[in-house]
């Protein structure tokens, strides 16, 4: 009886040891889907989360500025190391449409164009997302507005953007990211604060998880 008890104890210890080792040996990449690790070269896509808008407001807490009902991005994965770590992507497209403005003197929004693409996007295991421009460049967005005096171009720039990735809904959220006006008329507000939530981020239709 004592021999069987010792053998049973040894078996339990061995099983627990294997269980403890398995997660480390089976660790996946930073970016994964239900189909496995996201491969370098895969293109990730996302549109605005349902019921949300992308906004560029004149202050971090205000509601005056530009709001877009449609926005989306595409990014090609350039590195996806084993977690924990930081995956990198090349942001090749970022679009905005169906935009309106509630700025005095502005009749509407003709277009919003993201300039100087592509940008480098890093996604860390802790969910931190950082968007940076090429060396010597800047993140830049040109907003074309219709006014009583005709069309005006408002150019806004930022050194980088920081967002948060969440596995709860496979989203990336940017909150009040500050842009500074680099050119434009007095009808262009001096600062633009960008807020948007993109969800779900997908790879070939499968939701992307950050590990």
């Amino acid at each position: 009886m004592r021999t069987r008890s010792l053998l049973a104890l040894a078996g339990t210890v061995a099983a627990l040891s294997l269980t403890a080792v398995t997660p480390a040996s089976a660790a996946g990449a930073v970016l994964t889907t239900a189909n496995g690790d996201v491969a370098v070269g895969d293109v990730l896509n996302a549109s605005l989360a349902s019921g949300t808008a992308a906004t560029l407001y004149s202050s971090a807490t205000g509601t005056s500025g530009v709001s877009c009902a449609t926005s989306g991005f595409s990014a090609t994965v350039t590195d996806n190391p084993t977690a924990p770590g930081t995956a990198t992507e090349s942001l090749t497209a970022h679009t905005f449409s169906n935009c309106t403005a509630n700025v005095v003197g502005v009749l509407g929004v003709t277009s919003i164009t993201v300039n100087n693409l592509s940008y480098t996007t890093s996604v860390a295991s802790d969910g931190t997302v950082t968007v940076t421009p090429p060396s010597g460049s800047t993140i830049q967005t040109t907003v074309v507005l219709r006014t009583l005096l005709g069309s005006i171009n408002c150019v806004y720039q930022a050194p980088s953007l920081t967002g948060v990735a969440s596995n709860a809904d496979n989203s990336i959220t940017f909150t009040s990211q500050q842009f500074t006006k680099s050119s434009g008329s007095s009808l262009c507000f001096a600062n633009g604060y960008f807020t948007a939530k993109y969800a779900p981020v997908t790879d070939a239709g499968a939701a992307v998880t950050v590990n």
Side-chain angles (χ1 to χ4, degrees):
M1 178 66 72
R2 179 175 175 77
T3 300
R4 284 197 298 271
S5 297
L6 289 173
L7 288 173
L9 177 61
T12 301
V13 170
L16 290 173
S17 299
L18 286 172
T19 300
V21 170
T22 298
S25 62
V30 174
L31 304 177
T32 63
T33 71
N35 300 322
D37 293 344
V38 173
V40 170
D42 283 5
V43 178
L44 309 185
N45 295 283
S47 298
L48 290 175
S50 178
T52 69
T55 58
L56 187 69
Y57 287 153
S58 59
S59 70
T61 57
T63 58
S64 176
V66 174
S67 177
C68 299
T70 306
S71 180
F73 70 80
S74 295
T76 301
V77 177
T78 55
D79 189 24
N80 189 23
T82 301
T86 300
T88 56
E89 306 160 11
S90 176
L91 179 66
T92 56
H94 195 181
T95 60
F96 299 86
S97 59
N98 296 321
C99 303
T100 58
N102 60 352
V103 180
V104 175
V106 174
L107 303 177
V109 181
T110 300
S111 65
I112 296 180
T113 304
V114 178
N115 311 122
N116 302 337
L117 292 169
S118 61
Y119 300 145
T120 297
T121 302
S122 63
V123 183
S125 290
D126 65 1
T128 300
V129 177
T130 306
V131 182
T132 54
S135 177
S137 183
T138 184
I139 293 176
Q140 180 174 296
T141 298
T142 301
V143 182
V144 182
L145 302 174
R146 300 190 305 276
T147 76
L148 294 171
L149 302 177
S151 179
I152 62 171
N153 288 4
C154 306
V155 180
Y156 295 94
Q157 297 180 337
S160 64
L161 302 176
T162 300
V164 177
S166 171
N167 290 335
D169 52 3
N170 308 103
S171 66
I172 294 177
T173 301
F174 298 95
T175 303
S176 298
Q177 295 298 289
Q178 184 176 2
F179 283 76
T180 301
K181 184 180 76 173
S182 63
S183 66
S185 81
S186 59
L187 289 177
C188 305
F189 31 93
N191 294 289
Y193 292 84
F194 173 63
T195 296
K197 180 178 181 178
Y198 296 93
V201 179
T202 62
D203 176 15
V208 175
T209 298
V210 179
N211 300 297

